[in-house]
Amino acid sequence: MATYKTLSASLNWPTGLPAPGSTVLISGGLESEGSVLIPHFVNSTFESQQPVILLSFRQTFNHYMHIMRKMGVNLARHKLQFVNGLVQADFSALPPATRPHFTLDKWPEFFQWLNEQPPSLLIIDGLCSLLDQGFGMSQVLQFFVSCQRIAETKAELGGGYAGLVVNVLLDEFSELLVRSMIRRSHYFFSFEGLSSGASNDVSGQLTVIPGHLHCQIQTQAKDFKPALLHYRVSDVTVQFFSPGQSSTVL
């Protein structure tokens, strides 16, 4: 996980996390997925001895468990609750340890359940998939805002770390939704392919900039540094580095 510390140092986030109550929006494309950041936020929260709630509209729990295990993180030893957004899937055949803690079927029930949980980092993977399920942009945006309000309220009450991290796929169908969420976020992480073309040594580039709500942060706001980094994805880790500083290039 040491290479994620390079990212944290570039952003001037000593713990790897933004200020409590912050909303982080991550966007990527088909060839430059932002999901590579999910292990970073999960592990940083665990290192702070805080719980994580992972809501996925894309994958089962086994997928994330396999990735985190390859990166040296044992999810069974930490406080992680998995929420299944794939409501039409049947998980009855899975071992009890890998079944979802909650299945997102009716949104009001989910929000009630979320309010009952202790302060946690809520990570939502694949939110734009709701558009493919027939939900309108305003409905998906309202879901985003509702989760954001719950995280902000828990952060204000104290008692633990609370925040929101949302990973979305940016394409022509989700562009308007993503723009609306950027205006409601404190930080925006954008994964893209290299402008110079494909490379065997570099998977793509990451741009991190303040979101429109960044000015509302009372702490750490002046310390945050926007960043442009290159990254390389391997089987067991993700390397972040300044452009031209890849270990394979050097």
Side-chain angles (χ1 to χ4, degrees):
M1 303 299 292
T3 54
Y4 282 114
K5 296 187 182 299
T6 302
L7 173 63
S8 300
S10 298
L11 302 177
N12 205 11
W13 287 355
T15 65
L17 298 170
S22 298
T23 296
V24 175
L25 180 66
I26 307 169
S27 80
L30 293 175
E31 298 182 356
S32 51
E33 283 202 20
S35 58
V36 297
L37 268 186
I38 291 179
H40 162 72
F41 283 106
V42 170
N43 191 63
S44 295
T45 309
F46 287 163
E47 288 183 346
S48 299
Q49 302 297 313
Q50 300 295 321
V52 174
I53 297 174
L54 174 58
L55 163 59
S56 179
F57 294 99
R58 303 176 65 228
Q59 303 286 350
T60 64
F61 178 69
N62 281 354
H63 169 80
Y64 301 98
M65 184 172 62
H66 178 66
I67 292 176
M68 296 298 292
R69 183 178 296 166
K70 288 200 302 183
M71 304 185 80
V73 179
N74 184 358
L75 294 181
R77 298 178 58 187
H78 300 280
K79 299 176 182 178
L80 183 141
Q81 297 194 80
F82 180 73
V83 179
N84 162 44
L86 307 172
V87 296
Q88 296 180 348
D90 182 8
F91 296 96
S92 59
L94 292 177
T98 60
R99 292 176 187 172
H101 293 84
F102 190 90
T103 296
L104 181 61
D105 189 4
K106 298 179 180 179
W107 291 4
E109 294 180 359
F110 169 70
F111 294 137
Q112 179 181 352
W113 176 85
L114 191 60
N115 271 310
E116 295 171 351
Q117 305 309 305
S120 309
L121 177 65
L122 173 60
I123 301 176
I124 304 177
D125 188 20
L127 181 61
C128 288
S129 298
L130 287 174
L131 297 176
D132 300 329
Q133 297 178 27
F135 291 94
M137 190 187 85
S138 60
Q139 292 175 295
V140 180
L141 186 60
Q142 184 57 51
F143 182 88
F144 169 84
V145 171
S146 297
C147 292
Q148 183 180 48
R149 288 174 178 169
I150 293 175
E152 290 175 347
T153 299
K154 288 184 176 293
E156 291 173 358
L157 294 174
Y161 183 87
L164 176 63
V165 174
V166 179
N167 178 46
V168 296
L169 175 67
L170 178 60
D171 58 20
E172 63 271 25
F173 303 106
S174 63
E175 183 177 359
L176 290 178
L177 174 61
V178 174
R179 286 182 179 179
S180 296
M181 288 190 289
I182 293 175
R183 289 195 289 269
R184 293 167 172 81
S185 299
H186 299 90
Y187 301 96
F188 178 52
F189 288 64
S190 176
F191 282 85
E192 300 175 298
L194 292 175
S195 56
S196 58
S199 169
N200 292 330
D201 301 320
V202 182
S203 301
Q205 66 182 30
L206 168 64
T207 304
V208 187
I209 60 174
H212 287 206
L213 295 184
H214 183 261
C215 61
Q216 298 180 4
I217 301 177
Q218 300 300 317
T219 60
Q220 296 183 340
K222 295 181 179 180
D223 298 331
F224 170 75
K225 297 185 297 184
L228 173 61
L229 299 171
H230 285 177
Y231 69 97
R232 183 173 185 269
V233 180
S234 67
D235 288 338
V236 295
T237 190
V238 182
Q239 296 176 321
F240 290 92
F241 44 87
S242 299
Q245 299 298 312
S246 169
S247 60
T248 55
V249 174
L250 297 176

